[in-house]
Amino acid sequence: MSIDGISLEISIALVDELDVGDYVLVHVGYALAKIDPTEAKRTLELLQELGSAAQERRA
């Protein structure tokens, strides 16, 4: 798994029928559920916005 250049090895033992490129909900190193690509991309966008806002507050 990789997000924003950070790579993490996770277990996919709890989720059936995953393909390379699928999005999953991850908690403590385990994929818990496969999620819709559109929703996953929107969630990533929101997290990036939150990160940018937090950096602006620190400046």
Side-chain angles (χ1 to χ4, degrees), residues 18-38:
L18 288 178
D19 294 314
V20 172
D22 284 345
Y23 289 92
V24 292
L25 176 65
V26 177
H27 182 65
V28 295
Y30 290 88
L32 300 178
K34 183 176 173 178
I35 57 177
D36 176 72
T38 303

Side-chain angles (χ1 to χ4, degrees), residues 5-47:
I6 299 171
S7 294
L8 175 64
E9 190 170 316
I10 63 168
S11 172
I12 59 169
L14 302 175
V15 183
D16 293 330
E17 299 182 27
L18 288 178
D19 294 314
V20 172
D22 284 345
Y23 289 92
V24 292
L25 176 65
V26 177
H27 182 65
V28 295
Y30 290 88
L32 300 178
K34 183 176 173 178
I35 57 177
D36 176 72
T38 303
E39 185 62 29
K41 289 176 184 175
R42 181 67 185 135
T43 300
L44 289 172
E45 290 169 357
L46 289 171
L47 289 172

